[in-house]
Amino acid sequence: MVDKFYNLFIDVKPLDEIFKDAIVVVDTNVLLMAYQWRDTTFKAVYEVLIELVEGDRLKIPDQVIKEFANKRPEVLRHLSNDIHDKILSLLEKGNSRHSSLNKVIPSLDFFEDKDKLYKAEQNYNKALEDLTSAQKEYKKTISDLLGNINNYIDKDPILEQYKTIFERAALDALVYNEQEFKEELNRRKNEKIPPGYLDKGHMGDLKIWKEILALSDKNVILITRDNKKDWVYTDKHDNVIGARRELVEEFYNLNQKTFKILTPSTFIELHTESKGHPMDLDVKEDIKRTPIKFDDILFPKGDKKLSEMLGLDTSGKQKIILNHQLHMLENRLHEYFDLVGQEDLIPDKYDDFYNEFELAKELKKTDPYLAREKYNELLYRLKAILDDVFGD
């Protein structure tokens, strides 16, 4: 009788028992995050990665490196677009207010001529009375930066930092029968077995999982910022609770070892505390920020059915459309809140505005149409504030 319930009673170790000696696997999105971290944050994370490499604990799936290589130029393109849209285009329109460089591109310290760029920005902010001259200098340096970023597609400084880690931690690609692999992927999709059953036509997640399973002679912790429902359980705020039970059981059944999933922020904090000192608060906040839409980069529109991208119930076309609208409105509101908060435009009203947003999100459960109306109303009010500051 007990055998019938074996999966309920497997000996999964608590995190604190495996944390100091488990193999650590990093996902593609963690590597890409470096392009939006400040220099101090990258150094803090890089030191942890190097320490894991020295202890022969860090492993990077071959599939992760392939995805990183494919998506890195797209991340640089996003950075280039942000600089143009949030700074250069506003300067060209004659607006004196715009986002600062270190907010648009936190990883600026990695790039050449950073001192020149910072100095130009400072000169600009101090010399508004001589706006024409300061604008001309600043616009030129921003244009030069755009040119540098375009050149970094072939070779960038962050990639150079990763070279040592890749050389020492990269796993060899698995050899597999392509037809058998496709059959397994289809079976998992049909039976909704994680991971990968939400990915239409893509084998990336399953390839990464197979490489992780190959490490099952030891406990493994996967570090990922992804919160896809076929990898993790999340709470109502979309915070990661832990790995899907199916993954934990599949990993355990090979060698009775434990598999865990942690976010980058949680892992770095635990690692730092295990060394006897608290995590730097600025580094913690920087890691938690999400200025780049990694889902859009890793899963471009058109790669999946809309219902699969959003994890929606597809019982009705109208419901799918409504959920898509709510998803897009939420993303736009988050962008507006980020900009309003960074520029400190409404310090006395920011909390009130954000509380309205949270209440509207709760409305989705009972009246999604009213939630959409509230989102649009809030979006209109925030847009009016930004228009007053930055112009049309």
Side-chain angles (χ1 to χ4, degrees):
M1 178 66 73
V2 174
D3 290 344
K4 295 174 66 174
F5 309 112
Y6 76 94
N7 60 324
L8 294 175
F9 304 105
I10 58 178
D11 185 23
V12 177
K13 303 295 183 186
L15 181 61
D16 58 357
E17 285 189 23
I18 72 167
F19 188 79
K20 291 186 178 181
D21 59 8
I23 294 296
V24 176
V25 177
V26 294
D27 200 1
T28 312
N29 50 64
V30 177
L31 298 175
L32 291 173
M33 286 168 61
Y35 292 89
Q36 279 292 312
W37 284 336
R38 295 192 300 270
D39 181 49
T40 52
T41 302
F42 182 86
K43 287 179 180 177
V45 176
Y46 185 76
E47 286 175 4
V48 172
L49 295 179
I50 287 294
E51 184 177 331
L52 292 170
V53 167
E54 295 293 343
D56 197 27
R57 292 180 55 203
L58 182 67
K59 302 299 176 186
I60 305 175
D62 175 76
Q63 181 65 25
V64 164
I65 294 181
K66 287 177 180 175
E67 290 180 0
F68 174 82
N70 289 334
K71 305 303 178 182
R72 185 182 64 87
E74 186 68 9
V75 173
L76 291 171
R77 187 181 70 82
H78 274 253
L79 291 179
S80 179
N81 288 343
D82 275 350
I83 292 169
H84 182 274
D85 295 343
K86 296 179 181 179
I87 301 180
L88 192 57
S89 65
L90 295 174
L91 288 169
E92 290 172 344
K93 291 178 181 179
N95 293 327
S96 61
R97 293 293 302 273
H98 55 79
S99 298
S100 63
L101 270 172
N102 61 359
K103 289 178 180 176
V104 175
I105 177 168
S107 58
L108 184 64
D109 280 337
F110 286 102
F111 299 105
E112 297 174 4
D113 298 327
K114 62 179 183 298
D115 294 334
K116 180 181 178 182
L117 288 160
Y118 281 133
K119 185 174 186 298
E121 184 179 36
Q122 290 169 0
N123 287 342
Y124 173 74
N125 290 330
K126 291 177 181 178
L128 287 178
E129 67 277 7
D130 192 15
L131 184 59
T132 302
S133 175
Q135 260 193 348
K136 185 175 181 180
E137 177 190 0
Y138 189 46
K139 284 166 65 176
K140 183 181 184 306
T141 57
I142 293 297
S143 296
D144 291 343
L145 174 61
L146 285 173
N148 286 338
I149 288 177
N150 292 337
N151 292 331
Y152 290 153
I153 287 178
D154 294 325
K155 183 178 181 181
D156 72 69
I158 290 177
L159 182 61
E160 286 296 300
Q161 293 282 329
Y162 278 147
K163 184 178 180 181
T164 299
I165 291 175
F166 285 176
E167 288 176 343
R168 298 183 61 179
L171 295 170
D172 292 332
L174 291 179
V175 178
Y176 58 88
N177 181 288
E178 186 172 345
Q179 182 58 37
E180 291 178 358
F181 195 90
K182 288 181 179 179
E183 289 174 0
E184 180 176 358
L185 181 63
N186 289 333
R187 179 181 65 82
R188 285 177 177 263
K189 287 181 179 180
N190 292 334
E191 299 178 18
K192 290 185 168 48
I193 300 173
Y197 71 80
L198 293 179
D199 288 346
K200 183 191 176 189
H202 288 276
M203 297 184 177
D205 279 6
L206 186 55
K207 286 182 178 179
I208 290 172
W209 179 236
K210 289 293 186 181
E211 293 189 57
I212 291 173
L213 290 176
L215 301 169
S216 63
D217 58 329
K218 299 207 175 155
N219 301 313
V220 167
I221 300 172
L222 171 63
I223 311 302
T224 180
R225 193 163 190 160
D226 209 339
N227 58 359
K228 288 194 296 183
K229 302 303 184 287
D230 58 349
W231 277 97
V232 296
Y233 298 114
T234 59
D235 62 20
K236 68 177 182 179
H237 301 296
D238 233 17
N239 297 313
V240 173
I241 297 173
R244 283 281 295 259
R245 180 68 178 186
E246 298 94 325
L247 300 176
V248 173
E249 291 177 8
E250 184 176 357
F251 190 88
Y252 180 86
N253 287 337
L254 292 175
N255 289 301
Q256 288 71 59
K257 297 296 183 181
T258 297
F259 173 70
K260 300 280 188 183
I261 292 181
L262 297 178
T263 63
S265 177
T266 299
F267 180 81
I268 297 299
E269 184 171 15
L270 289 173
H271 183 86
T272 304
E273 290 176 351
S274 74
K275 299 298 179 182
H277 52 87
M279 184 178 182
D280 183 279
L281 291 179
D282 288 337
V283 170
K284 184 175 183 178
E285 288 303 312
D286 198 23
I287 293 176
K288 284 184 174 181
R289 293 182 328 116
T290 52
I292 286 182
K293 305 298 184 293
F294 289 102
D295 284 346
D296 292 343
I297 294 170
L298 294 172
F299 308 106
K301 293 177 177 63
D303 273 11
K304 301 180 181 181
K305 290 179 181 177
L306 179 61
S307 57
E308 291 174 324
M309 285 178 62
L310 305 181
L312 304 177
D313 176 5
T314 57
S315 57
K317 182 178 179 181
Q318 192 62 36
K319 184 176 180 180
I320 295 175
I321 294 173
L322 177 59
N323 275 285
H324 177 56
Q325 291 172 340
L326 291 170
H327 179 76
M328 295 298 107
L329 286 168
E330 283 180 5
N331 281 348
R332 179 58 60 84
L333 280 165
H334 276 300
E335 292 174 358
Y336 278 16
F337 275 118
D338 283 347
L339 186 55
V340 167
Q342 288 171 5
E343 298 296 335
D344 203 25
L345 301 181
I346 47 173
D348 56 333
K349 296 180 181 179
Y350 182 89
D351 287 342
D352 291 338
F353 273 71
Y354 200 83
N355 287 337
E356 286 185 47
F357 178 44
E358 290 296 319
L359 289 173
K361 286 171 68 175
E362 288 296 314
L363 268 176
K364 286 195 304 180
K365 302 172 184 176
T366 55
D367 192 340
Y369 290 94
L370 181 57
R372 181 177 63 183
E373 182 178 328
K374 293 293 184 183
Y375 282 165
N376 278 312
E377 178 187 343
L378 192 54
L379 198 62
Y380 176 82
R381 289 159 61 194
L382 287 171
K383 186 176 184 299
I385 292 169
L386 295 173
D387 285 345
D388 284 342
V389 175
F390 297 113
D392 296 328

